[in-house]
Amino acid sequence: MNLFYAIVGEDVPDSLDKRLSARPAHLERLNALRDQGRLLLAGPFPAIDSPDPGPAGFTGSLIVAAFDSLEAAQNWADADPYVAAGVYARVTVKPFKKVLP
């Protein structure tokens, strides 16, 4: 049974260049989740109060998607290109219960 899990990645300082280089591979994996009907939402946290933070970059990302288990969600998160590229300082994976809407 697929349950939702929240994956929160927290960026290292000055992560923008690393993010940009790893972004195509990162998006490819997210698009695969979307195409499988498993992605609830995904996006970055801008470092400033703006939809386009420019050179300020981002402080992390949130992904909420369906997986068979916490272990499966953790394994998926561990294989993220942003992890391999050193974008994330830390990644937290938690069960998520969608209530609204």
Side-chain angles (χ1 to χ4, degrees), residues 34-51:
R34 181 201 60 209
D35 294 346
Q36 296 164 9
R38 296 170 45 201
L39 184 63
L40 183 62
L41 64 90
F45 300 118
I48 59 174
D49 190 13
S50 171

Side-chain angles (χ1 to χ4, degrees), residues 2 4 10 17 25 32 34 38-39 45 50 56 60-61 68 71 75 77 79 82-84 87 89-90:
N2 281 338
F4 285 117
E10 298 175 54
D17 288 340
R34 181 201 60 209
R38 296 170 45 201
L39 184 63
F45 300 118
S50 171
S61 303
D68 290 332
E71 180 181 11
N75 289 338
Y82 281 180
V83 171
V87 173
R90 177 176 38 260

Side-chain angles (χ1 to χ4, degrees), residues 45-100:
F45 300 118
I48 59 174
D49 190 13
S50 171
D52 181 4
F58 301 91
T59 62
S61 303
L62 170 65
I63 300 163
V64 180
F67 293 92
D68 290 332
S69 66
L70 179 60
E71 180 181 11
Q74 185 69 59
N75 289 338
W76 189 92
D78 290 344
D80 193 297
Y82 281 180
V83 171
V87 173
Y88 293 149
R90 177 176 38 260
V91 177
T92 304
V93 181
K94 296 181 179 184
F96 179 84
K97 182 179 178 181
K98 182 178 184 277
V99 175
L100 294 170

Side-chain angles (χ1 to χ4, degrees), residues 14-35:
D14 301 314
S15 63
L16 188 57
D17 288 340
K18 292 177 183 179
R19 267 184 172 270
L20 293 175
S21 67
R23 189 169 189 261
H26 174 76
L27 290 178
E28 184 177 324
R29 295 178 81 233
L30 290 173
N31 286 329
L33 284 179
R34 181 201 60 209
D35 294 346

